Amino acid sequence: DLWGVPEWVAYEVKKLQVKIEPYNRPTWMTDDALKANKKAPNDDTYAVKGTKELKEVSGDYRYVRGHMCPKDVADRISMEAGYNTHTILNAVPQLQWQNNGIWKKLEGQVTDWADKYERVWVICGPIYFDKTPAVWLGQDDEVKAAVADAFYKIIIRENTTETGIESLTFVIPNIIPKGKKEFYEYLTSMDRVEQLTGLTF
């Protein structure tokens, strides 16, 4: 609770029924009580001073607020649900090119599976080497946010097997190795995520 990020986020993705018309994204929100107790960052943590002036560094290599539950998924419930994904409690620092590249592709695949199978469930969150953050975002007296070394995403769907479910699990690094840009290259097991996070699914 002192790392400024969610340990896990879980949500259901239903088949698309009604498409929400595009709307302006809100300003990122935080929980004021948690912020006052130095347990939740706000948007200032992600707005690192001086980054806009340093034009020699590509914007793709800046940390952004990586949605754990995507806005597009929540929009399938309502515009209000989509609006409320813009909370720091649903965000982890993520490199822009990872967030807008391989992670976004996997999010799109998840919605395709939901459209095909009526519904799927997702559990996702950050992973840290040796379960300890090495890099932090935030300056001065801001509440810090721990930068993840990788992210996990577990996708579950119901079926008629003995267990009643089947799942796919991915671990995707924040910094993608050269030549490995497709999400299916990071397919792993739920046991592996439990080992890396200390969580039990």
Side-chain angles (χ1 to χ4, degrees), residues 40-161:
N42 65 3
D43 210 27
D44 292 340
T45 296
Y46 288 80
V48 179
K49 298 178 182 75
T51 54
K52 291 181 180 177
E53 288 74 31
L54 190 55
K55 300 188 185 304
E56 292 82 359
V57 179
S58 168
D60 286 346
Y61 292 90
R62 307 227 189 271
Y63 289 109
V64 297
R65 299 150 301 230
H67 280 79
M68 292 295 96
C69 176
K71 170 188 170 294
D72 292 348
V73 165
D75 278 341
R76 292 178 173 219
I77 301 168
S78 69
M79 188 174 77
E80 182 181 17
Y83 186 97
N84 281 293
T85 62
H86 290 271
T87 168
I88 297 297
L89 305 183
N90 181 44
V92 178
Q94 201 169 31
L95 284 172
Q96 172 62 31
W97 70 280
Q98 199 259 36
N99 175 267
N100 203 39
I102 192 170
W103 192 252
K104 188 173 183 177
K105 285 183 185 176
L106 182 52
E107 288 174 341
Q109 182 62 67
V110 168
T111 54
D112 288 347
W113 284 328
D115 290 339
K116 180 177 179 180
Y117 298 114
E118 300 292 330
R119 70 187 67 216
V120 296
W121 287 263
V122 175
I123 309 166
C124 63
I127 296 173
Y128 300 91
F129 293 144
D130 204 25
K131 303 180 182 69
T132 303
V135 179
W136 298 81
L137 203 58
Q139 298 178 328
D140 303 329
D141 60 349
E142 297 165 355
V143 178
K144 304 291 191 292
V147 176
D149 296 302
F151 298 87
Y152 65 89
K153 191 182 288 283
I154 302 168
I155 302 104
I156 303 163
R157 79 175 180 98
E158 291 181 308
N159 63 17
T160 56
T161 63

